[in-house]
Amino acid sequence: MKLELISFIFVPMENFWLIENQLKELREVHRIERNLNASYKTNAIILLDTGWNLKTVREALLLIEEPLRSYLEKFRSGGVAELVRTNYQGRANHLIFSQQAQLCDELESNIYLTTHSIIEYFREIFGVEYTPSGKRYVI
């Protein structure tokens, strides 16, 4: 397998720079953030501050242009908090009230060591399929 080095042509992002405390906050959020989406957003803004242009950052992070522009606008309008804010609310679970009560009783009386075992319980008892990430919102 032959690896090729990618060369970037640096055309600086015009009229974009961070003040020291913004850069420090972005780096801290990037370091501690568990949400990969938020990490990508902070990383993109940090790279723009280093002089990379939108095209270079987009190519390096494998992003399409519109989300990158959106990240920049969010950061400019509301700082780091607005940049990493997520509006996703999810959706209602597929259990009716009596099934939710039954699940609560089950979880209070039995210990499940893995999410997978709870998913299996859902499938067997309620006939409902959930992904592991979807399960978090029910439990």
Side-chain angles (χ1 to χ4, degrees), residues 8-71:
F8 294 104
I9 299 172
F10 288 99
V11 178
M13 178 77 185
E14 290 186 31
N15 300 321
F16 184 80
W17 59 90
L18 299 170
I19 56 178
E20 188 176 334
N21 65 335
Q22 288 175 315
L23 182 58
K24 192 175 191 178
E25 183 180 9
L26 280 164
R27 288 185 188 276
E28 180 65 14
V29 168
H30 186 267
R31 186 180 67 78
I32 64 172
E33 184 61 58
R34 294 181 69 198
N35 179 332
L36 291 178
N37 190 28
S39 293
Y40 262 109
K41 292 175 182 181
T42 57
N43 195 28
I45 299 300
I46 291 168
L47 290 173
L48 288 171
D49 181 58
T50 65
W52 289 23
N53 64 18
L54 287 170
K55 182 180 180 194
T56 306
V57 172
R58 181 177 52 82
E59 289 174 356
L61 297 179
L62 305 174
L63 297 171
I64 58 177
E65 190 169 336
E66 201 51 44
L68 184 55
R69 287 188 184 281
S70 173
Y71 302 164

Side-chain angles (χ1 to χ4, degrees), residues 70-83 85:
S70 173
Y71 302 164
L72 184 57
E73 289 306 313
K74 285 180 179 182
F75 180 74
R76 283 181 168 163
S77 69
V80 177
E82 179 66 20
L83 177 68
R85 186 169 60 97

